[in-house]
């Protein structure tokens, strides 16, 4: 299934992710007082990492359109990460083309480099187990995950691939990366109809590396 989640069965994972995120946000919102909230907000704004631009994604015949940077964890990644993300203040940007190809970037600033390292490791583990988890939850889906290595950028980035095929014949391929710069973690996802042969792996690795380099 592509990043835009064409397979209706995966809506259950998305709903779970959104429910968990809403609960965590509500719990995290109990700040001690208004000045403290304003101080934290100012610090977050000052340290806000930068996002990819449309021109920095793998080339596409129709070109890319970038959406605004939005608060929250994107439901477009819930099919692999919906049940595995801890409560943080995530921000994301969606990208789309005029055809079936789409992409997403999510970024989070944790409390320390150690927390960033732990979060990146957790997200990487969730992606590695995504194919097996999908097959277990949805019998109509056959999934294959592949690990495409690491990238030498800042504290590192890993690149993964996921191919899915449904019982009614829909096939989709996704590329995902998890990268870290200190306490900041970013995940990039790309997807379209097809299989691994249709995925622009080399170009995606450049995008994944750029996503980390561009954070600060």
């Amino acid at each position: 299934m592509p990043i835009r989640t064409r397979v209706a069965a995966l809506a259950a994972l998305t709903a779970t992710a959104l429910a968990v995120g809403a609960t965590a946000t509500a719990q995290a919102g109990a700040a001690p007082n208004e000045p403290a909230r304003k101080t934290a907000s100012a610090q977050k704004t000052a340290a806000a990492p930068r996002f990819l631009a449309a021109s920095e994604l793998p080339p596409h015949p129709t070109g890319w359109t970038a959406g605004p940077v939005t608060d929250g964890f994107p439901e477009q990644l819930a099919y692999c990460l919906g049940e595995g993300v801890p409560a943080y203040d995530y921000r994301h940007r969606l990208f789309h083309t005029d055809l079936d190809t789409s992409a997403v970037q999510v970024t989070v600033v944790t409390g320390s480099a150690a927390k960033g390292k732990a979060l990146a490791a957790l997200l990487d583990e969730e992606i590695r187990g995504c194919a097996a988890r999908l097959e277990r939850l949805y019998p109509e889906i056959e999934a294959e995950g592949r690990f495409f290595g690491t990238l030498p950028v800042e504290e590192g980035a890993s690149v993964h691939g996921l191919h899915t095929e449904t019982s009614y014949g829909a096939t989709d391929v996704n590329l995902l990366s998890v990268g870290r710069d200190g306490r900041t973690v970013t995940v990039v996802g790309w997807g379209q109809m097809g299989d691994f042969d249709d995925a622009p792996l080399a170009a995606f690795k450049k995008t994944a590396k750029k996503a980390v380099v561009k954070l600060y």
Side-chain angles (χ1 to χ4, degrees):
M1 71 217 68
I3 293 297
R4 57 191 165 81
T5 312
R6 293 192 306 112
V7 182
L10 298 190
L13 275 181
T14 299
T16 300
L18 295 179
V20 171
T23 301
T25 300
Q27 293 172 344
N33 51 58
E34 187 63 27
R37 285 198 296 270
K38 290 182 178 180
T39 300
S41 177
Q43 290 174 343
K44 176 182 175 182
T45 300
R50 293 179 298 164
F51 280 73
L52 290 167
S55 61
E56 293 165 330
L57 294 173
H60 190 276
T62 71
W64 289 92
T65 298
V69 175
T70 305
D71 289 339
F73 192 86
E75 64 179 61
Q76 287 77 10
L77 289 176
Y79 68 97
C80 259
L81 298 174
E83 297 180 325
V85 291
Y88 280 110
D89 291 329
Y90 298 94
R91 303 175 76 222
H92 69 275
R93 167 174 275 178
L94 303 180
F95 305 85
H96 68 86
T97 67
D98 290 341
L99 298 177
D100 69 304
T101 309
S102 56
V104 60
Q105 181 184 11
V106 59
T107 296
V108 57
V109 181
T110 66
S112 66
K115 291 182 177 179
K117 181 178 180 180
L119 178 60
L122 175 61
L123 296 176
D124 194 69
E125 181 180 356
E126 289 292 315
I127 292 175
R128 286 176 183 268
C130 184
R133 193 161 58 249
L134 289 177
E135 288 190 339
R136 184 174 66 252
L137 293 172
Y138 305 101
E140 72 276 17
I141 294 176
E142 291 185 3
E144 178 189 359
R146 294 185 183 180
F147 177 59
F148 291 119
T150 59
L151 302 175
V153 54
E154 300 300 343
E155 276 66 60
S158 58
V159 180
H160 304 265
L162 175 70
H163 176 255
T164 59
E165 183 173 357
T166 67
S167 57
Y168 52 86
T171 63
D172 300 283
V173 61
N174 290 288
L175 297 174
L176 301 109
S177 68
V178 180
R180 183 172 70 93
D181 183 355
R183 63 177 183 154
T184 302
V185 178
T186 188
V187 178
V188 180
W190 171 99
Q192 70 174 28
M193 295 176 63
D195 55 31
F196 286 119
D197 291 337
D198 302 308
L201 181 57
F204 181 79
K205 286 185 175 181
K206 292 181 180 179
T207 294
K209 187 173 183 178
K210 182 67 175 181
V212 179
V213 170
K214 192 176 181 179
L215 287 172
Y216 298 106

